[in-house]
Amino acid sequence: MTAPSRGRGRPALFNADAQQRYLEARAAGATQKDAAALVRVAANTIRYHRATDHAFREADDTAAACGRQARIDQLAHGETRYKHYGCRCTTCTKAATVGRTNRPSYNAKEARIIPISPTGQESSCSFPLARAS
């Protein structure tokens, strides 16, 4: 008897085990590029599997949503979290209030007017020449 054949071509790098590790990294908050680097495949490999394998795409979308929430949860409380992520805890609310009160109010200032023509002249000398020609 002959030994069982191993098949043709090189072995797949993004097998089921690598896919599971990739999805776990995505759910923990890693970006697509960082999670791909973690399992040692190119980002194009991930894009190819998302385009061809609908079950993997759905799992990746779910993991990405969990990862986004994990990144938001790790974000420090402050004005940014109040403004962009809708956090209304007392820490974020106070930080946003302080940020608004310390920001300069441009509407209250008078606009500075910069004269275009030199003092004492109505317009520069190029305007009459342009009209004469």
Side-chain angles (χ1 to χ4, degrees):
M1 291 193 94
T2 60
S5 174
R6 292 182 57 187
R8 292 183 148 197
R10 66 179 194 178
L13 295 177
F14 198 56
N15 54 16
D17 180 47
Q19 287 181 3
Q20 187 62 34
R21 287 185 292 138
Y22 167 81
L23 292 172
E24 288 171 1
R26 285 284 279 170
T31 62
Q32 187 180 45
K33 184 178 177 182
D34 293 339
L38 182 73
V39 294
R40 296 183 179 175
V41 296
N44 283 339
T45 304
I46 303 297
R47 289 187 204 102
Y48 171 78
H49 282 278
R50 280 185 54 87
T52 58
D53 186 2
H54 296 292
F56 177 73
R57 178 190 302 180
E58 290 176 9
D60 190 30
D61 288 343
T62 305
C66 292
R68 183 178 190 277
Q69 190 59 43
R71 285 192 304 274
I72 290 171
D73 292 342
Q74 293 172 0
L75 187 66
H77 286 271
E79 185 180 6
T80 301
R81 195 167 171 158
Y82 180 90
K83 262 174 84 170
H84 299 292
Y85 300 108
C87 182
R88 298 298 184 255
C89 72
T90 55
T91 306
C92 293
T93 304
K94 286 179 183 177
T97 303
V98 168
R100 277 193 304 272
T101 54
N102 291 339
R103 216 172 274 122
S105 176
Y106 295 105
N107 296 334
K109 285 186 190 178
E110 287 186 25
R112 194 173 115 197
I113 300 172
I114 301 172
I116 296 175
S117 60
T119 57
Q121 290 182 347
E122 290 292 319
S123 64
S124 68
C125 59
S126 62
F127 290 128
L129 294 176
R131 275 187 247 136
S133 55

